[in-house]
Amino acid sequence: MKLFWCPNTRASRVVWMLEEAGVAYDRVLVDIREPDAERDPEFAAASPMGKVPALADGDVRMADSAAICIYVADRYPACGLAPPVDDPARGAYLWWMLFTPGVMEPALSERFRGAEPNRFSSGWGDFDAMVETLHEALSEGPWLLGPEFSAADVMVGSSVLFMQEFNVMPDSDRLKAYAERCAARPAYRTAMASDG
């Protein structure tokens, strides 16, 4: 498996995911901050938009951190990072897997740009609705799906840690405790140390 990666990007969460899964992979640096750099043809096939992360695994080529994390969890079910397809928890798991790109990132972008939020016309709601939803979901915890850590926690946890790093996380003991649990995971620490 080959991960096309650039430090301090969404590719970092895929490094965390691969470390959690305990599978072998090679990282190939793609410096997306150098738009004129020559690109690996395999990277171009995996990521037509030239974005990281991207993955090549045998004949599989794909991009987007949520898609890659879903793929890895399903490809390696022994790692226990996703409910099986016929498990009733699968619906909530998939919803949380897409919560980061579909809700958190747009709401955070809106907040950073100072855009006027409109929770009724925006598919993601707004920053406050996103935080309320996340806060409620963690009321029983310790993880999004209850007692078991999953790939959904990689996706959402990476964004909660991002909010903490950039001082946009609301004052919430519940969110802070979740961020601490995520940051304490050995796979997370390994991934961040190797992220440079």
Side-chain angles (χ1 to χ4, degrees), residues 8 17 27 42 48 52 60-61 112 116-117 139 155 168 172:
N8 303 310
M17 177 66 187
R27 269 189 295 178
E42 197 171 24
V52 292
V60 174
R61 302 285 181 275
F112 285 131
E116 186 64 34
S139 63
M155 290 297 300
V168 293
S172 162

Side-chain angles (χ1 to χ4, degrees), residues 35-59:
D36 298 328
E38 188 175 333
R39 301 286 188 232
D40 181 321
E42 197 171 24
F43 169 67
S47 182
M49 292 181 64
K51 302 282 187 181
V52 292
L55 187 78
D57 185 22
D59 292 334

Side-chain angles (χ1 to χ4, degrees), residues 4-5 48 62 106 169 177 183-184 186:
F4 297 99
W5 157 91
M62 63 190 314
M169 190 162 76

Side-chain angles (χ1 to χ4, degrees), residues 10 101-118 121-127 162 166 168:
R10 289 174 181 91
V103 177
M104 295 184 85
E105 289 176 355
L108 282 163
S109 176
E110 197 172 67
R111 172 66 56 105
F112 285 131
R113 291 182 291 113
E116 186 64 34
N118 186 334
S121 67
S122 299
W124 57 86
D126 63 16
F127 184 84
F162 176 86
F166 287 92
V168 293

Side-chain angles (χ1 to χ4, degrees), residues 26-112:
D26 293 322
R27 269 189 295 178
V28 178
L29 176 63
V30 177
D31 192 347
I32 59 169
R33 294 169 186 99
E34 292 291 336
D36 298 328
E38 188 175 333
R39 301 286 188 232
D40 181 321
E42 197 171 24
F43 169 67
S47 182
M49 292 181 64
K51 302 282 187 181
V52 292
L55 187 78
D57 185 22
D59 292 334
V60 174
R61 302 285 181 275
M62 63 190 314
D64 183 80
S65 61
I68 294 169
C69 287
I70 291 169
Y71 170 80
V72 169
D74 287 347
R75 174 91 165 78
Y76 300 97
C79 68
L81 292 170
V85 172
D86 58 353
D87 187 315
R90 182 72 177 195
Y93 161 77
L94 289 172
W95 190 76
W96 284 114
M97 288 301 292
L98 299 175
F99 191 76
T100 287
V103 177
M104 295 184 85
E105 289 176 355
L108 282 163
S109 176
E110 197 172 67
R111 172 66 56 105
F112 285 131

